[in-house]
């Protein structure tokens, strides 16, 4: 979509017609509408497309090779941080019962939504008190991730896994 937006704005008909000046105009047109980080992503998409064409011989010159990025420092909408214990308690107190276990699990393991959603009873080893996330579901896609199970999760997880098949989802999302 970023490439389509650039082509629509600049009205270029071929990749060889792309110039720094056209990219400058596109960037200026996006200022005020997009954050600097989004503008950088848009420029990066066009750069990647032109780089690919250059490597394949589709264009003789990669004209946007050193096109400058927008400064993003200080433009973050919010700073990420861990919840304080008091904030975590307040969150759990206000959360409806069905979601409470999911939130508690996330707080005690640090797992992401997609990792939690992928968990099956096979992921839990109650003897060694570990949880294993398969590589294709984990943040690091190259290896399975095994983490220790928090002692406060042992009993509730056993209850959640009871009566479920080995490959059934543990959490209802």
């Amino acid at each position: 979509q970023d490439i389509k937006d650039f082509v629509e704005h600049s009205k270029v008909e071929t990749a060889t017609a792309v110039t720094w000046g056209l990219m400058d105009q596109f960037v200026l047109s996006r200022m005020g509408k997009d954050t600097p980080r989004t503008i950088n992503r848009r420029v990066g998409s066009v750069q990647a497309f032109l780089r690919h064409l250059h490597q394949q011989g589709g264009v003789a010159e990669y004209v946007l090779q050193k096109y400058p990025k927008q400064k993003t420092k200080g433009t973050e909408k919010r700073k990420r941080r861990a919840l304080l214990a008091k904030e975590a308690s307040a969150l759990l107190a206000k959360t409806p019962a069905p979601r409470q276990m999911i939130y508690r699990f996330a707080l005690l393991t640090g797992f992401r939504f997609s990792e939690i959603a992928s968990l099956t009873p096979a992921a839990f080893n109650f003897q060694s008190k570990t949880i294993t996330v398969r590589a294709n579901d984990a943040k690091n896609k190259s290896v399975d991730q095994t983490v220790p199970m928090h002692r406060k999760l042992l009993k509730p997880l056993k209850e959640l896994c009871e009566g479920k098949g080995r490959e059934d989802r543990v959490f209802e999302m």
Side-chain angles (χ1 to χ4, degrees), residues 74-165:
T75 64
E76 300 86 8
K77 288 185 179 179
R78 61 182 171 255
K79 302 275 187 211
R80 294 181 184 206
R81 62 174 180 78
L83 290 178
L84 300 172
K86 183 178 176 181
E87 294 169 327
S89 295
L91 173 68
L92 290 173
K94 292 180 182 179
T95 303
R99 302 249 342 129
Q100 233 177 34
M101 181 56 190
I102 296 170
Y103 286 14
R104 176 173 283 122
F105 185 85
L107 288 166
L108 294 174
T109 61
F111 283 1
R112 295 163 175 246
F113 175 84
S114 61
E115 294 169 330
I116 295 170
S118 73
L119 292 174
T120 64
F124 302 103
N125 184 331
F126 293 107
Q127 284 74 36
S128 64
K129 298 178 184 168
T130 59
I131 307 168
T132 301
V133 179
R134 293 181 304 231
N136 58 335
D137 298 322
K139 178 182 176 186
N140 179 356
K141 301 284 186 194
S142 61
V143 295
D144 288 351
Q145 294 179 359
T146 301
V147 298
M149 189 182 306
H150 194 282
R151 62 180 169 74
K152 291 181 179 179
L153 293 175
L154 191 61
K155 184 180 175 191
L157 286 174
K158 277 185 181 177
E159 291 171 4
L160 276 175
C161 291
E162 282 178 12
K164 293 194 178 184

Side-chain angles (χ1 to χ4, degrees), residues 1 12 27 35 37-38 50-51 66 91 104 151 159:
Q1 186 61 49
V12 294
V27 167
T35 66
R37 198 175 299 271
T38 302
L50 291 175
R51 186 179 323 109
K66 296 192 183 226
L91 173 68
R104 176 173 283 122
R151 62 180 169 74
E159 291 171 4

